[in-house]
Amino acid sequence: MQGLPLSFADVKKAFQIKGQALSVLGGLSLDCPAGSFTALLGPSGCGKSTLLRLALGLESVDDGAVLVGGDSPAAVRKTGAVGVAFQDAALLPWRSVEDNILLPFQVLGGMRPDAQHIADLIQLVGLEGFEKAKPGELSGGMRQRVAIARSLATEPRLLLMDEPFGALDLILRRQMNLELQRIWSASRPTTLLITHGVDEAVYLADRVVVLSSRPATILADITIPFERPRGPALFRDPAFHTLCDEIGAWLEPQEGSQPA
């Protein structure tokens, strides 16, 4: 099933803070073609998570438009075509690992979960033997792995990820990078990943978009040249590190930028 294109057209968004309007997005445009993998980098507070919430239909724009496959984000979300993983696992504490992963099917209604599919997801994130465990019985990293599996449960055509591996140690994070690449390559959902890890962005994405401090503008839009599939050896490639350094330079404080 093909991914859905995601577009932000001249999007403006401000929040009221102590009676003052705080402009987060001041007319930002970004197109994510169907099946593409885009990583967003930028300073804390620049509006990355706001973009993701707009794409999910959890926030509304002040001006401009956000479209998923030509439709509103909220309408597409109700079809089960959108998967999401936030930094906070947000698991239901009274439900087992299996039941937390099954939750999207129950929320949407009418979709019949495949038991083998759920078992495969549990194996993918390395939680075999913990199918019946409650979140309180899991470590923070294990809880986040459940959330990642849940985001993939409905085989989404648009995948939105906000620092999904931030709670994991480096070894497991690299392992999950490899697994996410494999999953993405199999079905190619349009993916928007927010991360603070330059190496993670370069490894996973087709392109890396660097945002300025708020109100966010696009400082750089960099195409990633490495062929797929990408193996663990890429992390040791001098060309990989050179590109990471070049992208990292865009994240240095810009003259006249607002504090995050």
Side-chain angles (χ1 to χ4, degrees), residues 181-232:
Q181 178 198 215
R182 181 181 63 80
I183 294 167
W184 179 85
S185 296
S187 57
R188 291 186 177 260
T190 307
T191 301
L192 185 62
L193 169 71
I194 294 172
T195 177
H196 284 101
V198 176
D199 60 339
E200 181 170 87
V202 172
Y203 183 80
L204 287 171
D206 298 318
R207 63 198 282 224
V208 174
V209 175
V210 182
L211 301 182
S212 70
S213 297
R214 62 176 180 263
T217 58
I218 294 176
L219 293 177
D221 189 340
I222 301 127
T223 300
I224 303 303
F226 306 116
E227 294 184 359
R228 299 183 186 275
R230 299 169 185 170

